[in-house]
Amino acid sequence: MCGIVGVVSPTPVNQLIYDALLLLQHRGQDAAGIVTQQGRKFFMHKAKGMVRDVFRTRNMRGLPGNAGLGQVRYPTAGNAYSEEEAQPFYVNAPFGIVLVHNGNLTNARELRTELFQTDHRHTNTESDSEVLLNVFAHELERSTHGVPLQVDDVFAAVRAVHKRVKGSYAVIAVIAGHGLLAFRDPHGIRPLAMGRSQDGTVMVGSESVALEGTSHVFERNVEPGEAIFITLDGKVHASQCAENPQLNPCIFEFVYLARPDSVLDGISVYQARLNLGEALAKRVVSTVPPNEIDVIIPIPESSRPSATQLAHLLGIPYREGFVKNRYVGRTFIMPGQGVRKKSVRQKLNVIGSEFKGRNVLLVDDSIVRGTTSREIVQMARDAGARKVYLASAAPPVRYPNVYGIDMPTSSELVAHGRTVEEIRQAIGCDALIYQDVDGMKKAIGALNSAIVGFDASCFDGVYVTGDITAEGIASLNEGRVGVEEGEDDTSRLALPNPQEA
């Protein structure tokens, strides 16, 4: 999961890209980068850290030009600690191309071999984004045949990329002296939206909030398999470049990843979370009688809409019981289980009066590793709660995610290979209530009938690209730097039969 943005404008874009990246900071806190173009020259600055720390006044002054792109990084492939793998990536031929990518390629290893042996192109990092850039560059070189670039040549190159590349990818690239390109994988797993401002600026970004928060009017989503090319004078060209596009957005975007004030593929993230709370209410009633619950408390932040709706439907008081320290990094993003475990009590503090002597129902958006949940349940007990129930607005996360979310191995997932009762014991709560998979899909899918289905692979084990096996997941995790020793265990991984799921 990363946040990406690209801009073509009649005025300088450095501040605009910076502002958009701040609005997308929740999508990645590991590194940030911006490239701008003036004439045919690129200007780049990127480094590890958050946007506000990476870019100082001197850095911004060194980013002139009226077109550019940026990214905030959250590493799910390659080396989590390498500053070289911060994006954007650059190649000088053909034309000169810079690229940012949100997603995860599932055949990066094979492509890297092809690039070296057949395409005669060199990659210098373990990043799948650099692989994607070089595949696109090679196909663009083939489509132009040494003649001046035409828009149709760009679309031909994207068509060839779709045929070679597998996995999830929302991409923004700038071709030196020509324009900005945005395209999305044929399943539309990762989001990408386009908008305009009154002065003629065109922006493409991961979430609608990046557009609206910078005074752009949302125009439309980039469709699955579609490519959009924006010339430097702001003219927009579009073409469907995939043979069988099908919209299967990542359902975890709506559960947790995206900002609640975003609209992704026609679905309000906030409304999706309200709907999840409504569906969860039925599950709670069947497990814990409402008269045994004194108060409903969300675990900040993403669970608040679901918890609000749940409390409303059950007629139980809603209270804020945790105060979040906003100056501590998100535990989900931190590489390494040890760092994650240490940070929970630094990140949250309890309001003791909301727990003392009460039966408390805690509501979380999802339960992934269980480490945070266990700590929070214990914090509630330490604050004097009589009983601590825990409800998850999402189903059990039982399978690795290979499309750009940091759930790479089965051993990290508290629900993998365990029953709900075994998970409850591991977490230490008095009752554990999960959303069911069908209920989740119906609750969110009801908001846009045009969506054929979702990538819900971390919940149901069905991988929409159709190329994932247990062996493939093990291969994806080989060489992934930043995973703690002992976490990379796929020996217990069992993928369900797609017909059974």
Side-chain angles (χ1 to χ4, degrees):
M1 180 186 73
C2 298
I4 60 175
V5 63
V7 182
V8 173
S9 175
T11 59
V13 297
N14 55 352
Q15 185 66 50
L16 187 54
I17 295 172
Y18 176 91
D19 293 343
L21 290 181
L22 286 178
L23 292 163
L24 295 173
Q25 186 76 84
H26 61 286
R27 299 187 67 87
Q29 300 176 351
D30 180 75
I34 293 176
V35 165
T36 57
Q37 177 190 269
Q38 187 175 56
R40 293 193 177 184
K41 187 174 181 180
F42 289 132
F43 299 83
M44 180 188 299
H45 179 69
K46 60 181 182 177
K48 286 181 65 63
M50 296 176 70
V51 174
R52 65 171 182 256
D53 300 318
V54 169
F55 298 100
R56 302 293 185 180
T57 301
R58 64 182 181 276
N59 308 126
M60 298 296 288
R61 287 174 177 163
L63 295 169
N66 294 4
L69 46 74
Q71 193 226 34
V72 285
R73 184 186 185 224
Y74 162 50
T76 57
N79 190 329
Y81 305 117
S82 171
E83 193 157 296
E84 290 182 356
E85 295 191 12
Q87 295 185 37
F89 279 106
Y90 163 76
V91 290
N92 70 340
F95 307 107
I97 306 169
V98 286
L99 176 145
V100 289
H101 163 219
N102 175 30
N104 220 42
L105 305 190
T106 57
N107 65 334
R109 174 174 289 190
E110 295 90 335
L111 289 171
R112 191 174 278 109
T113 300
E114 286 179 18
L115 285 169
F116 180 74
Q117 294 182 348
T118 307
D119 301 342
H120 303 156
R121 297 191 72 93
H122 172 71
T123 56
N124 204 50
T125 71
E126 295 303 310
S127 171
D128 61 340
S129 303
E130 189 187 17
V131 170
L132 180 56
L133 169 59
N134 277 274
V135 170
F136 172 70
H138 178 76
E139 297 302 337
L140 186 63
E141 195 160 33
R142 290 180 63 186
S143 69
T144 54
H145 304 294
V147 298
L149 181 71
Q150 303 295 321
V151 173
D152 287 344
D153 297 327
V154 177
F155 293 149
V158 175
R159 288 188 192 97
V161 168
H162 286 328
K163 291 177 181 177
R164 294 183 64 181
V165 171
K166 297 178 182 178
S168 65
Y169 48 97
V171 175
I172 304 174
V174 174
I175 302 171
H178 293 282
L180 184 144
L181 170 69
F183 62 93
R184 199 173 173 195
D185 72 74
H187 289 277
I189 297 172
R190 300 262 77 86
L192 199 59
M194 186 181 80
R196 299 176 193 257
S197 66
Q198 290 183 346
D199 69 355
T201 298
V202 182
M203 176 182 284
V204 183
S206 292
E207 296 183 28
S208 63
V209 68
L211 311 176
E212 294 161 354
T214 53
S215 301
H216 292 74
V217 177
F218 169 82
E219 191 167 289
R220 69 184 187 89
N221 296 291
V222 179
E223 298 300 321
E226 184 184 28
I228 291 176
F229 187 72
I230 307 162
T231 58
L232 295 177
D233 60 2
K235 187 175 181 180
V236 177
H237 305 263
S239 177
Q240 177 52 253
C241 297
E243 293 179 355
N244 297 297
Q246 188 173 6
L247 183 56
N248 298 115
C250 173
I251 206 163
F252 210 71
E253 292 274 358
F254 302 97
V255 170
Y256 174 77
L257 298 179
R259 271 181 49 153
D261 45 345
S262 282
V263 177
L264 307 182
D265 291 311
I267 295 178
S268 160
V269 175
Y270 182 75
Q271 186 61 53
R273 291 172 186 169
L274 289 177
N275 285 15
L276 288 172
E278 186 172 337
L280 184 61
K282 301 170 187 175
R283 305 284 293 182
V284 171
V285 170
S286 66
T287 307
V288 180
N291 60 8
E292 293 184 13
I293 303 170
D294 297 317
V295 64
I296 291 177
I297 294 176
I299 298 173
E301 302 264 350
S302 308
S303 64
R304 283 193 174 116
S306 297
T308 301
Q309 190 75 340
L310 178 64
H312 171 72
L313 292 172
L314 298 185
I316 297 171
Y318 170 95
R319 293 287 187 272
E320 293 287 342
F322 296 98
V323 176
K324 186 175 182 179
N325 180 355
R326 300 179 185 276
Y327 302 99
V328 175
R330 281 168 57 183
T331 57
F332 184 87
I333 283 181
M334 292 181 180
Q337 193 78 355
V339 176
R340 186 177 295 110
K341 187 173 182 179
K342 291 175 184 175
S343 73
V344 177
R345 287 179 184 259
Q346 296 173 341
K347 176 183 174 183
L348 293 176
N349 192 41
V350 299
I351 301 173
S353 58
E354 297 299 334
F355 293 91
K356 190 173 181 64
R358 291 175 170 176
N359 294 342
V360 176
L361 174 62
L362 303 179
V363 180
D364 209 347
D365 49 71
S366 58
I367 301 169
V368 180
R369 296 168 175 87
T371 307
T372 298
S373 300
R374 186 164 54 248
E375 285 279 311
I376 287 173
V377 166
Q378 188 57 52
M379 288 169 68
R381 293 198 189 283
D382 293 345
R386 272 203 313 264
K387 288 188 176 181
V388 181
Y389 309 121
L390 178 61
S392 170
V397 177
R398 298 189 183 278
Y399 306 97
N401 184 286
V402 299
Y403 299 128
I405 303 175
D406 192 17
M407 303 174 190
T409 61
S410 59
S411 61
E412 292 180 275
L413 308 176
V414 68
H416 184 82
R418 289 188 175 101
T419 65
V420 173
E421 174 57 23
E422 289 171 336
I423 303 167
R424 184 198 66 77
Q425 292 176 14
I427 291 174
C429 52
D430 294 292
L432 176 61
I433 306 102
Y434 274 110
Q435 184 80 263
D436 67 285
V437 176
D438 287 341
M440 172 187 65
K441 291 180 179 179
K442 289 177 182 177
I444 300 175
L447 298 171
N448 185 357
S449 59
I451 292 179
V452 176
F454 294 95
D455 167 58
S457 52
C458 56
F459 302 112
D460 61 14
V462 178
Y463 296 89
V464 296
T465 55
D467 61 326
I468 303 302
T469 63
E471 293 75 18
I473 291 174
S475 177
L476 284 169
N477 285 317
E478 285 181 17
R480 182 174 179 270
V481 181
V483 178
E484 281 192 3
E485 184 180 356
E487 289 184 346
D488 191 14
D489 173 22
T490 54
S491 60
R492 292 167 54 217
L493 180 64
L495 301 183
N497 186 316
Q499 282 73 36
E500 296 174 354

